[in-house]
Amino acid sequence: MKIVKTIKVMKETVDELRAQGKSIGFVPTMGYLHEGHLSLVREARKNNDIVVVSIYVNPAQFAPHEDLETYPRNFERDENLCAREGTDYIFYPDDQKMYPERYQTYIRVTEIEKKLCGISRPIFLKGVATVCTKLFNIVKPTHAYFGQKDYQQSLIIKQLVKDLNLDLNIVVCPIVREKDGLAMSSRNEYLSENERKEAVCLYKTWNLGKKMIEEGERNIEKIKKKMKEHIENYAFPKIDYIEIYNAEDLSEFENNAIKEGREIAIALAAMVGKTRLIDNVVFKI
Amino acid sequence: MKIVKTIKVMKETVDELRAQGKSIGFVPTMGYLHEGHLSLVREARKNNDIVVVSIYVNPAQFAPHEDLETYPRNFERDENLCAREGTDYIFYPDDQKMYPERYQTYIRVTEIEKKLCGISRPIFLKGVATVCTKLFNIVKPTHAYFGQKDYQQSLIIKQLVKDLNLDLNIVVCPIVREKDGLAMSSRNEYLSENERKEAVCLYKTWNLGKKMIEEGERNIEKIKKKMKEHIENYAFPKIDYIEIYNAEDLSEFENNAIKEGREIAIALAAMVGKTRLIDNVVFKI
């Protein structure tokens, strides 16, 4: 496994590999890897000649008041985990290379970004769209792997790849969960012991909503109300949003009524103490 | 010469050419070609194995009140001109292919777009940045050619290529002028006989400003005032802007004083009747 720190060397490396006809599986991450990330690396390993993992805490996706400085980092640990999963290259650039002086180009995916996390974190999705486009242009993958935990992010990426005519396949992999159901996230690290116990509320809450739908409830307002009541039983969580949308494009269901045959996304975000957690489920009835 | 109407065929064609190690010179245009465009095609022909010209009136760069519908078009004439200059491929897509239903990804170059044409035509530069990024991803050129007449556009393109880590060289070619000095433009077609006579005012006006600087004037306000007075002698033109900036990034000169050793851009835009014309000069003292 090689660690590549410059854009120039990364480009030269992948240009040569692509010229040899190799497929490149790419897993963009912000590091502090957990089982969720590793499931993406494994998927990339299974289906490509070469696996590239990028580790880069992207400043463009943090607002000034957010946790850029304190975001957990441990490169040595990440390096070992990547090596163990058969990664060929870690791309590990620094800010000066990614956003040099006078950097000013940003990508917006204007409809999808209006929903869910786009409301409380407008900078986040713009930053993700921008850095992923940059990384795709540098790493030139044939396949790039994203976790479903960031469901809106995965839709943003799929949309920009289509709209900007990029040549790669986006693969979205299932959420990996702790035993109690909590979706794995680098930010779970921030939780106190008590918060950690309550953090499972997101999982429990979408399960409640999904069950209601499976049992025949079609009125979205009723379902959301029940979910909201449920989550308010917990001490710590403060809801940011609970939404039920068409999974394909985050559009609203007509007349606020679930429609059979369509993919449904239930998505939640809540502050658990000072930690913002998200979770979702996508299913069909 | 082949005419390619679909993104898929264009991509397959250039992928094969690139795999053979061919260099691709690309000239993106909105058609209705004049000598300015043809000078770009010749430059591309001289320095590349393959020449691709795109002809596409990009709706994303027109505001609702602008001239999208009436923008001059003549594909047959363009086709003959391209063939005569040794073009290998014309890429001639339609709107449905370039901006299919639910299209929503846009690129902003946030500093350069604040100046000059960005003020009266905010949609224009966003549309140009977006369509050029798409075209670069489709045509995968080694070199792309732009005219200096759209000076701000050329800076936007150079900036986004750098910021988004695209692999191509941007070549900016000199403005081609009519005998009296009027910069060639497809929009000159709109001018009445009287307007055409007066349209040369942009050329005359920047010449006046340049001469003042060359003769030692350093006070930018004074130079702009004289230029403004000059252009107001004409009957038709209504000034949109007259600006004197650092040519590199359209930043202002400190204390409104020309600095020797720096590249200077004098840029103008004016309405001549209902036709918006622009012109500029870039020079050093």
Side-chain angles (χ1 to χ4, degrees):
Chain A
M1 190 180 74
K2 280 186 188 153
I3 295 159
V4 179
K5 293 189 175 183
T6 72
I7 292 169
K8 190 167 169 280
V9 172
M10 194 70 244
K11 279 190 173 194
E12 287 166 0
T13 304
V14 293
D15 283 347
E16 205 178 308
L17 292 164
R18 290 297 297 259
Q20 294 164 12
K22 306 270 196 215
S23 61
I24 297 175
F26 176 46
V27 183
T29 82
M30 299 217 296
Y32 216 76
L33 306 179
H34 52 65
E35 272 299 310
H37 300 107
L38 298 180
S39 74
L40 305 179
V41 178
R42 278 174 216 132
E43 195 61 26
R45 181 69 284 165
K46 216 166 38 185
N47 296 301
N48 297 274
D49 299 320
I50 301 292
V51 173
V52 181
V53 176
S54 67
I55 296 181
Y56 179 58
V57 181
N58 173 35
Q61 72 191 65
F62 289 80
H65 65 279
E66 290 181 340
D67 57 346
L68 172 62
E69 290 310 315
T70 57
Y71 194 86
R73 292 161 170 92
N74 188 338
F75 184 73
E76 208 176 314
R77 184 171 155 280
D78 290 341
E79 193 184 335
N80 289 330
L81 289 169
C82 285
R84 201 188 300 163
E85 299 297 341
T87 301
D88 298 292
Y89 297 93
I90 293 181
F91 180 49
Y92 185 51
D94 63 27
D95 290 345
Q96 186 44 39
K97 292 195 181 67
M98 291 296 277
Y99 299 102
E101 212 184 325
R102 279 174 44 198
Y103 186 95
Q104 57 185 286
T105 305
Y106 294 95
I107 291 170
R108 308 293 295 251
V109 180
T110 57
E111 296 306 315
I112 300 171
E113 74 171 18
K114 285 180 191 154
K115 305 289 181 72
L116 303 178
C117 295
I119 296 163
S120 59
R121 301 185 71 201
I123 287 173
F124 167 64
L125 293 165
K126 176 175 88 162
V128 165
T130 301
V131 81
C132 284
T133 303
K134 284 170 66 64
L135 289 168
F136 295 158
N137 288 335
I138 295 165
V139 175
K140 300 185 186 75
T142 40
H143 300 81
Y145 297 82
F146 291 84
Q148 194 199 299
K149 205 205 84 194
D150 295 282
Y151 184 67
Q152 185 177 19
Q153 169 181 290
S154 74
L155 290 183
I156 291 262
I157 300 296
K158 280 201 240 179
Q159 187 71 40
L160 77 84
V161 164
K162 182 171 169 251
D163 285 353
L164 297 181
N165 308 102
L166 291 167
D167 290 325
L168 78 158
N169 299 296
I170 300 301
V171 184
V172 180
C173 299
I175 300 177
V176 179
R177 299 181 179 281
E178 304 286 354
K179 273 191 191 148
D180 65 348
L182 174 64
M184 290 204 182
S185 165
S186 305
R187 288 193 172 100
N188 292 348
E189 179 76 6
Y190 297 150
L191 300 167
S192 71
E193 201 177 324
N194 281 335
E195 287 167 353
R196 171 63 192 85
K197 278 182 203 150
E198 295 227 321
V200 74
C201 65
L202 283 87
Y203 171 73
K204 299 270 192 207
T205 302
W206 70 244
N207 262 285
L208 172 69
K210 181 166 182 262
K211 193 158 166 270
M212 286 178 74
I213 294 169
E214 285 170 344
E215 288 174 359
E217 182 58 66
R218 294 291 172 265
N219 184 317
I220 290 176
E221 281 317 307
K222 269 195 195 160
I223 302 162
K224 281 163 66 173
K225 189 162 172 278
K226 280 275 185 208
M227 289 172 72
K228 195 163 171 278
E229 284 165 12
H230 177 82
I231 211 167
E232 283 168 354
N233 289 330
Y234 293 82
F236 295 112
K238 278 192 192 128
I239 302 164
D240 178 6
Y241 61 75
I242 295 176
E243 295 295 353
I244 302 176
Y245 286 138
N246 277 298
E248 193 194 4
D249 58 0
L250 304 185
S251 63
E252 279 165 35
F253 282 95
E254 253 174 72
N255 306 319
N256 245 316
I258 296 288
K259 214 163 192 167
E260 285 163 41
R262 294 253 195 90
E263 280 219 306
I264 302 157
I266 304 181
L268 305 88
M271 295 299 294
V272 178
K274 288 183 175 172
T275 306
R276 189 170 182 280
L277 299 179
I278 59 176
D279 200 351
N280 69 78
V281 64
V282 175
F283 64 105
K284 219 170 182 169
I285 47 155
Chain B
M1 189 180 75
K2 282 187 186 151
I3 295 159
V4 179
K5 293 188 175 184
T6 72
I7 293 170
K8 190 166 169 282
V9 172
M10 194 71 244
K11 280 190 173 194
E12 286 166 0
T13 305
V14 294
D15 282 349
E16 206 179 307
L17 292 165
R18 291 296 297 259
Q20 294 165 12
K22 306 269 195 216
S23 61
I24 297 175
F26 176 46
V27 184
T29 82
M30 299 215 297
Y32 215 74
L33 305 180
H34 53 64
E35 271 300 309
H37 300 105
L38 298 180
S39 74
L40 306 179
V41 178
R42 280 175 214 132
E43 196 62 24
R45 182 68 286 166
K46 216 165 40 184
N47 296 300
N48 297 274
D49 299 320
I50 300 292
V51 173
V52 181
V53 175
S54 66
I55 295 182
Y56 180 58
V57 182
N58 172 35
Q61 71 191 64
F62 289 81
H65 65 279
E66 290 180 339
D67 57 346
L68 173 62
E69 290 310 316
T70 57
Y71 194 86
R73 293 161 169 89
N74 188 338
F75 184 73
E76 208 176 312
R77 184 172 155 278
D78 291 342
E79 193 185 335
N80 289 330
L81 289 169
C82 285
R84 201 187 300 164
E85 299 297 341
T87 301
D88 298 292
Y89 297 93
I90 293 180
F91 181 49
Y92 186 50
D94 63 28
D95 289 346
Q96 187 44 39
K97 293 194 180 68
M98 290 297 278
Y99 298 102
E101 212 184 328
R102 278 174 47 197
Y103 187 94
Q104 57 184 286
T105 306
Y106 294 94
I107 292 171
R108 308 293 297 249
V109 180
T110 56
E111 295 306 315
I112 300 171
E113 75 171 16
K114 285 181 191 154
K115 305 290 181 72
L116 302 179
C117 295
I119 296 165
S120 59
R121 303 185 70 201
I123 287 172
F124 166 64
L125 293 165
K126 177 176 90 164
V128 165
T130 301
V131 81
C132 285
T133 303
K134 284 170 65 65
L135 289 168
F136 294 159
N137 288 336
I138 295 164
V139 176
K140 301 187 185 73
T142 39
H143 300 81
Y145 296 82
F146 291 85
Q148 194 199 298
K149 205 206 82 194
D150 295 281
Y151 184 67
Q152 184 178 20
Q153 168 180 291
S154 74
L155 290 183
I156 292 262
I157 301 297
K158 281 200 241 179
Q159 188 72 41
L160 79 83
V161 164
K162 183 173 169 246
D163 285 353
L164 296 182
N165 308 103
L166 292 166
D167 290 325
L168 79 157
N169 299 298
I170 300 301
V171 184
V172 181
C173 299
I175 300 177
V176 179
R177 298 181 179 280
E178 304 286 355
K179 274 193 189 144
D180 66 347
L182 173 64
M184 289 204 183
S185 164
S186 306
R187 287 192 173 101
N188 293 348
E189 180 76 7
Y190 297 149
L191 300 167
S192 72
E193 203 178 322
N194 282 335
E195 287 167 353
R196 172 63 191 83
K197 279 181 203 151
E198 295 226 320
V200 73
C201 65
L202 284 87
Y203 171 72
K204 298 273 192 205
T205 302
W206 69 245
N207 262 286
L208 172 69
K210 182 167 181 261
K211 192 158 165 269
M212 286 178 74
I213 295 169
E214 285 170 344
E215 287 174 358
E217 183 58 66
R218 294 292 172 265
N219 184 316
I220 289 175
E221 281 317 308
K222 269 194 197 163
I223 302 162
K224 281 163 68 172
K225 190 163 172 278
K226 280 275 184 206
M227 289 172 73
K228 196 162 169 278
E229 283 164 12
H230 177 81
I231 212 167
E232 281 169 355
N233 289 329
Y234 293 82
F236 295 112
K238 279 192 193 127
I239 302 165
D240 179 5
Y241 60 74
I242 295 177
E243 294 294 354
I244 302 176
Y245 286 138
N246 277 299
E248 193 194 2
D249 58 359
L250 303 185
S251 64
E252 280 166 33
F253 283 96
E254 253 176 72
N255 306 318
N256 245 314
I258 296 288
K259 216 164 191 167
E260 284 163 41
R262 294 251 196 92
E263 280 220 304
I264 303 157
I266 304 181
L268 304 89
M271 295 299 292
V272 177
K274 286 182 175 170
T275 307
R276 189 170 182 280
L277 300 179
I278 58 174
D279 200 351
N280 70 79
V281 63
V282 175
F283 64 105
K284 220 172 182 168
I285 46 157

